[in-house]
Every structure is written in C-alpha cells, then in structure tokens.
Amino acid sequence: MTSSRIRSAGSVLAIALAWATGCDDGYDTAELVGRPLWTIAYCEAEVDGVGIVDVETDYLPHVVCCENGNADFEALKAQAVAARSFLYYKLDTSGSIGDGTGDQVYTCSKEPESQHYEAVAETSGEILTYEDVTICSFYVAGAIPSVDDCIALPGDDDYSNTEQYVTYNYNLSGDDVEQTSLGWIDPGNPYNRGCKSQNGAHCLSENGWIYDDILSFYYGMDIIIDVADGECIESPDPDAGTDSDTDSDTDSDTDSDTDSDYEDDDDDEDSGGSSGSCSHAPHRRITISLIGLIFGF
C-alpha cells in the first residue's frame, strides 16, 4: 500500500548523467534545468539556546522522544521524517531552530530510548518534498480517534484543541490537497501541504500502516520522500520498506498527553512551526543542480 515516492541521490544522478552525456531515456530535459538533483544533508544544526548538535544521532532522537515518544513504531518513523523535514525548512530559512513550542522540542524531561534512535536511523536523511522544495511539515497532537479509520470524529477527545489544524489528504493530490490554516493557504504555496495528527499517526500505525503511507495520509499522495546526501546519512537497507502487498522493495505542533494506552509523560506542548512559518517561499536549501555541475556555479 506504499503511496509516497522515495527518491534517492543515486536515482536522480543517473538521470542527470544520462542527460549530460546525450543519452535519451525519455526524460524531458526542460524539467531538469535548475532542478535540485539531491539535497546536501544537514549533519549539524544550531539549536537556539543550546548550540550546535548532531542532527541524526542527537537532535532528531531527542525531538522524536520529546514530541511523540510513546507512539507506535511506524508513527515514530513518520515523526522522524516530519521532524527532519521541518528542521531542514527552518535551517533553510532561518539558519537555526528554536527549542520549544515555537518550533520543535529538543529539551524535555525524557531521554531518547532505543526505539527513538531506531526510528531516526531507519529513515536516515529522509525529508518530505513537493515540487522540489522541502515542505513545512506541520504536525499537531490532534484528537484521539475513536474509530479504526483513524479520522477523528466530532466528540473525540481533542484535549489540545488542535484537531482543527489536521488535514486528511489520503487519495488527494495537487491542488486537491487540503492545506492547513497553520500556514499560508494558497494553491501556489508548495510549502503548505497539510498537517499531521500525532494521535492519528499512532492510530494508523497500530492498524498496520507503514510510515510513508501515514505521511501520505496527511500530506497527500504526491508527497515525495527525498533522501539527503551526506556523510552522516546511513546507506539504505535494500530489504527495508518492502511492501508485503506488492512484493516490491520498496509545528505549530503539539506534544500529547493521551489516554492510558498511549500516554506521553512529558507535559510540553510544542509547535512544529508558528502559523506564519510557511507564509513565504524560502530560499531553496543547499543543492547541487545539473547546471552547477556543468558550469561550476
């Protein structure tokens, strides 16, 4: 049931080299001009009030733990990708990221455990993109769904009053994707592709959904998982992500105190971006384009 597409540096580089050497594999060369072929990974990040921290082995495990630490495992992986995407967006636009409810919570009363490190490692370098930009991956606590389709109903426990921001975008693409009111709503804004519910993601994971489908559930069917390139990024396991159905290989956000089956011990409520974070198109993250490779800029 895999819906989102995972694009690695190797696959797009192969397309670029074919174009540069005159090979015609059916790709529209006009679409490649100026297109980012892979993202240079942020291996370190400046966290306001903390300093420089390692992204993959320090920052993200802490954020996953503090933000949604008791979620089911595939929901933890979805949280890791959303948190990494929001971090990249903030570093692209601001150069640093806050530690707290305005951005993402890095410092809390808990320390990451093995499952949090594993969720980050199994999604190493993965970020959410749409139209070749890193999206502002909003997520909130949302209501606790009472039904197995994991779409919250009126009357479900919305203790954080954040269900109003959640978007349900499974089977939707393009302009049909619902944008969240946490960001600038405009079909021409590619950075706002909706908002994930942490409680809903936990529900989906418990019902057998894998993390990339969970991400598509909230951000749309045309969301792409790009894999950044850098020395801090682990090589993907060729056996990971296999979909048993197809046999192919394949902030403003709120931390949650939920029911007894899914209780987060930390009381922090945090935001993966303020309501204005996606209001304007940011400078594109550091990328290597085909034009740059050929002409040296």
Side-chain angles (χ1 to χ4, degrees), residues 59-115:
Y59 178 79
L60 287 173
H62 277 83
V63 170
V64 170
C65 173
C66 292
E67 289 280 2
N68 204 22
N70 287 340
D72 201 57
F73 187 64
E74 289 297 314
L76 290 180
K77 290 167 68 175
Q79 180 67 52
V81 176
R84 185 184 293 106
S85 302
F86 185 75
L87 171 68
Y88 276 43
Y89 176 88
K90 288 291 294 186
L91 295 179
D92 290 345
T93 56
S94 303
S96 65
I97 191 167
D99 177 15
T101 58
D103 286 334
Q104 300 184 132
V105 174
Y106 166 74
T107 304
C108 66
S109 60
K110 300 174 293 185
E111 287 297 318
E113 299 178 359
S114 59
Q115 68 270 25

Side-chain angles (χ1 to χ4, degrees), residues 40 73 80 189 217-218 247 293:
I40 301 301
F73 187 64
N189 176 17
F217 191 83
Y218 297 106
D247 294 328
L293 287 172

Side-chain angles (χ1 to χ4, degrees), residues 97-289:
I97 191 167
D99 177 15
T101 58
D103 286 334
Q104 300 184 132
V105 174
Y106 166 74
T107 304
C108 66
S109 60
K110 300 174 293 185
E111 287 297 318
E113 299 178 359
S114 59
Q115 68 270 25
H116 306 124
Y117 289 102
E118 186 177 355
V120 173
E122 289 193 11
T123 62
S124 182
E126 294 183 6
I127 56 171
L128 297 170
T129 69
Y130 176 71
E131 293 186 347
D132 288 314
V133 299
T134 306
I135 71 165
C136 187
S137 48
F138 290 116
Y139 56 90
V140 296
I144 302 172
S146 60
V147 291
D148 287 344
D149 68 4
C150 301
I151 297 176
L153 301 175
D156 285 348
D157 185 6
D158 185 15
Y159 57 89
S160 61
N161 194 32
T162 55
E163 180 62 29
Q164 60 186 309
Y165 304 119
V166 175
T167 58
Y168 298 100
N169 283 316
Y170 203 66
N171 289 328
L172 298 179
S173 299
D175 291 348
D176 292 330
V177 165
E178 180 186 0
Q179 296 177 308
T180 178
S181 60
L182 290 172
W184 173 42
I185 297 178
D186 187 294
N189 176 17
Y191 304 94
N192 182 356
R193 299 304 289 172
C195 177
K196 178 174 74 74
S197 165
Q198 293 173 316
N199 285 310
H202 172 69
C203 173
L204 291 169
S205 182
E206 286 198 315
N207 279 278
W209 287 57
I210 58 177
Y211 77 101
D212 51 354
D213 285 320
I214 293 173
L215 293 167
S216 292
F217 191 83
Y218 297 106
Y219 300 118
M221 303 301 286
D222 50 2
I223 201 71
I224 290 176
I225 299 178
D226 266 323
V227 183
D229 181 63
E231 62 181 12
C232 59
I233 304 304
E234 297 182 10
S235 299
D237 182 349
D239 295 326
T242 300
D243 191 332
S244 59
D245 293 334
T246 60
D247 294 328
S248 61
D249 283 345
T250 32
D251 237 352
S252 191
D253 69 289
T254 306
D255 200 15
S256 51
D257 293 334
T258 63
D259 60 10
S260 58
D261 292 331
Y262 171 42
E263 182 178 357
D264 202 313
D265 296 330
D266 193 77
D267 292 329
D268 289 332
E269 290 188 351
D270 71 305
S271 306
S274 63
S275 60
S277 291
C278 299
S279 296
H280 304 286
H283 296 294
R284 179 162 292 178
R285 62 189 181 276
I286 300 172
T287 57
I288 298 178
S289 69

